[in-house]
Amino acid sequence: MAKTAYCLLVLFVVIGLAGCADVPPDLPASDQLAEHPAVIPRPRPTQQPLAQLPRGGRQIFPAYQLVAFVGAPGSPALGPLDSNLDERARRLERLASSYRTGRRILPVLELIVVTAQGAPGRDGKYRSRIDPRQIDKYLATARKYRMLLMLDVQPGRATPLDEVRRLEPWLKQPDVGLAVDPEWEVGAGQVPGRVFGRTTGTELNGIGAYLSALVTRYRLPEKLFVFHQLAKPIVRDEASLRTHPGVATVKSVDGIGNRGQKLATYRGLTKTIPKGIRPGFKLFYQEDTRHGALMTPAQVLAVRPQPELVIYE
């Protein structure tokens, strides 16, 4: 009996130790945990929301009708954006509201940041550049009123793409577009203003591809890219011009003269507009009114093809 009682006591002790063990029966013992470490799930990185256009969305067309003022600080001859930016922005907003056609309105401040000059300058490029602090000032106004800022380049003898690349600190922003004015792009031995400058479809494609790369790299909304054209010879080999992912390209026809002449220029230059390129139309407060009253928004909207960007200079 004593032997049996002793065996039962040993059995109870063993069972008790097993029941009080720190390691549950279904997990490995402590000497095995190093070989089987616990797997702790890592938190997933938070996806940053994609940047939007100033008034919402990520595509400019066909969602928006664009209406722009152009100019440069202290230069009233270049357009209404010369001073009093808050007043000009409010004025642009009122004007843009007259262009409602079922689309939303997106006003644009077109700031001339590189201006062609009649003198060579220190580097012989026949152009001047704006103070970067002025660009920041105009951008702040555009953001205050939820508008796009568009940086305009008149290259002179400089290489357009070189001038555009210098603007990358602003062009990589979601609310900054680009315009180039090849009328002021001249070659060696030429002076801006004495001859009409010119560009090619290939050169414009290079700029468009550069902007497209920025859109991809910085996950930007659609980027506005405008090229101005006053006459057919200003853009050679236009048929080679193509669209680029993430870039909304606009051909702005800058016709001058009376209303009949402006419309004839517009019709002539939009007949050969490449597929996917949007039409734009420019009005001049000074030059146009020498020949009569400025065209009204209703008259502009009646033009065919209907301009998707209207610029006032």
Side-chain angles (χ1 to χ4, degrees):
M1 289 294 293
K3 184 177 181 179
T4 301
Y6 175 76
C7 292
L8 290 174
L9 178 60
V10 172
L11 179 62
F12 289 146
V13 170
V14 172
I15 293 174
L17 289 174
C20 296
D22 292 331
V23 181
D26 56 339
L27 292 180
S30 59
D31 60 345
Q32 296 176 312
L33 288 177
E35 300 178 6
H36 301 83
V39 178
I40 302 175
R42 295 181 180 178
R44 294 182 179 180
T46 304
Q47 185 90 8
Q48 291 293 331
L50 295 174
Q52 302 285 302
L53 293 166
R55 302 196 176 188
R58 287 179 54 81
Q59 283 193 309
I60 296 174
F61 301 119
Y64 288 103
Q65 171 70 47
L66 306 184
V67 183
F69 273 174
V70 65
S75 302
L78 297 179
L81 286 183
D82 61 321
S83 61
N84 302 322
L85 294 185
D86 284 288
E87 186 276 330
R88 297 295 195 272
R90 290 190 291 266
R91 178 180 160 194
L92 175 59
E93 186 72 49
R94 292 192 298 270
L95 177 62
S97 67
S98 303
Y99 281 88
R100 296 189 184 279
T101 58
R103 293 181 175 187
R104 288 179 287 171
I105 295 299
L106 182 55
V108 180
L109 304 182
E110 182 175 357
L111 173 62
I112 302 174
V113 295
V114 179
T115 307
Q117 302 289 322
R122 292 182 179 180
D123 58 3
K125 298 297 184 181
Y126 286 83
R127 56 92 179 92
S128 63
R129 295 166 175 163
I130 199 172
D131 186 331
R133 291 173 295 183
Q134 290 288 354
I135 302 178
D136 293 335
K137 179 180 177 181
Y138 277 73
L139 180 56
T141 300
R143 287 176 172 172
K144 179 178 179 180
Y145 294 94
R146 297 171 59 222
M147 299 176 174
L148 274 180
L149 177 65
M150 182 164 66
L151 307 180
D152 186 292
V153 174
Q154 300 176 358
R157 289 189 190 176
T159 301
L161 187 55
D162 290 344
E163 297 298 317
V164 171
R165 289 183 184 277
R166 290 187 68 258
L167 301 172
E168 185 166 320
W170 296 278
L171 291 174
K172 68 183 182 182
Q173 302 297 320
D175 49 358
V176 180
L178 176 73
V180 294
D181 204 339
E183 173 190 347
W184 301 101
E185 179 186 341
V186 298
Q190 296 179 326
V191 177
R194 297 184 187 176
V195 298
F196 278 140
R198 58 180 59 189
T199 188
T200 64
T202 299
E203 185 172 68
L204 293 174
N205 280 333
I207 297 172
Y210 167 75
L211 294 176
S212 181
L214 290 183
V215 170
T216 300
R217 187 184 314 156
Y218 297 105
R219 303 170 71 221
L220 301 175
E222 196 167 43
K223 181 72 64 179
L224 180 62
F225 173 37
V226 176
F227 66 95
H228 295 283
Q229 188 171 1
L230 177 64
K232 188 173 181 179
I234 289 175
V235 181
R236 294 175 293 171
D237 191 25
E238 187 179 358
S240 67
L241 186 61
R242 62 182 186 275
T243 58
H244 301 271
V247 177
T249 305
V250 177
K251 173 180 181 173
S252 174
V253 177
D254 298 355
I256 58 175
N258 60 39
R259 181 179 172 186
Q261 292 170 324
K262 287 179 68 71
L263 294 178
T265 300
Y266 182 77
R267 287 191 294 266
L269 292 181
T270 54
K271 280 182 181 179
T272 58
I273 193 168
K275 184 178 180 181
I277 309 302
R278 309 280 179 160
F281 190 72
K282 181 180 277 192
L283 298 167
F284 297 88
Y285 280 116
Q286 294 185 15
E287 289 89 342
D288 288 4
T289 53
R290 293 171 186 164
H291 307 278
L294 193 70
M295 291 178 66
T296 67
Q299 290 170 333
V300 174
L301 289 173
V303 173
R304 294 294 180 269
Q306 190 176 83
E308 300 187 60
L309 166 66
V310 183
I311 301 173
Y312 286 80
E313 181 177 315

